Amino acid sequence: MSEQSAQQMREVVDSVYRNESRRVLATLIRLLGDFELAEEALHDAFAAAMQQWQRDGVPANPRAWLVSAGRFKAIDSLRRRARFDASQTELARQIEADNEEAAPGEDEDVEDDRLRLIFTCCHPALPPHAQVALTLREVCGLTTEEIARAFLTTPTTVAQRIVRAKAKIRDARIPYQVPSRDALPERMDSVLRVVYLVFNEGYSASFGESLTRDDLSREAIRLGRLLVELLPEPEAMGLLALMLLHESRRSARFTSAGALILLSDQDRSLWDIERIAEGGALVERALLSRRFGPYTLQAAIAAVHAEAPSADDTDWEQIVGLYDVLARVESSPVIELNRAVAVAMHHGPAVGLAIIDAILERGDLLDYHLAHAARADLYRRLGRNGEARIAYRRALELTRHQQQERQFLEQRLKELPG
């Protein structure tokens, strides 16, 4: 094997790993019934691929090859361990029997192992923070360090959450399956929340050199589509619509140099009209059901922005009205802040500023950089440049890993007169 051919094969295997490893892992977890065993089998399968694909060529279906190789590697590993633990022999036999008996065309609601995996990771027996960490690790492939940076905690804490979650799944015998239709609605809330968190991490990456991670956004949208197919409930449609409408603006959000562009300043000809149309249709379906919730309302707000031919033509009255409904459905300081920005656009910056000041005065969002950035912008629009400067500096102090936001705020600070 020449050095050049070995390097080429490493690049091929690396590419397959990036594109297929999480799907392969999800299937191996289903086949083997154990997270740790499946992860070990995944790495063994890719190690085998490095050797055999160099000799025999890349198979027509690399994912199927890797699943098969991983399964056999796991069984071999269990048999070797059986020399020290007889229970491993029975486990190996059981895995072989289960795989032989499984019908390849089994009639299920959705034939997707990653969807089964996300329902397992989001099981209500697990704490919410563990659901998020486990999903990002096992479904999306983020490292513990990346998850820790995304959620401002330590890698050790994230690792402990993941280990405990896996132990809980194993010890409580949590099934690796999509719940029955009767139990599905009550399980959807946690799944939708985690899918949206994954999308947000892809839409505005909180770490790393990339401004965004479109692989995560694509995966969240794919999971969203599967959820709508599985259970076409209004909030599943609303979440998918919300993600599509946000994603439609991806190419207009940054300059070629990587500088952040506000929604009002974006080149709307760069927006993806197909995603906007699909998202808008989903919003209409969800709203007509009259059983919608916060995702649908947020999607409706995004749709109003998307339908406006220009920033000046935005229907701010409708947006404020939607925020009023959203605040009643799911009240939170961040929703109040977003409503305040909309109110400022409709009724003037002084009215919006009063709302933000009231939020901060009661102690909410004091450490949230976007609250201070919004306050600074309203001071700027009112010509109160000294107060704007203080607010921009506070926002900068609180902006940690978001380099593009820091650059934007620094530029706004420089542009202030005086």
Side-chain angles (χ1 to χ4, degrees), residues 259-280:
L260 179 68
I261 304 175
L262 293 182
L263 174 63
S264 58
D265 298 326
Q266 289 175 11
D267 180 354
R268 299 186 178 214
S269 68
L270 297 177
W271 289 3
D272 188 326
I273 58 174
E274 291 184 3
R275 284 197 173 105
I276 291 172
E278 184 182 1

Side-chain angles (χ1 to χ4, degrees), residues 171-182:
D171 297 342
R173 298 179 182 270
I174 292 173
Y176 178 79
Q177 64 186 31
V178 176
S180 66
R181 285 199 174 273
D182 291 341

Side-chain angles (χ1 to χ4, degrees), residues 44-100:
D44 287 344
F46 273 96
M50 279 292 297
Q51 297 178 349
Q52 294 187 38
W53 293 3
Q54 179 66 33
R55 183 186 67 233
D56 303 330
V58 179
N61 189 334
R63 188 195 310 173
W65 189 98
L66 289 161
V67 168
S68 179
R71 172 177 167 267
F72 284 115
K73 291 286 185 183
I75 293 170
D76 287 344
S77 176
L78 290 173
R79 284 174 173 162
R80 287 195 301 272
R81 297 175 194 173
R83 290 180 295 176
F84 308 100
D85 183 352
S87 66
Q88 301 298 301
T89 301
E90 181 57 32
L91 182 56
R93 287 175 182 165
Q94 185 63 49
I95 289 172
E96 284 187 289
D98 289 345
N99 281 265
E100 288 170 2

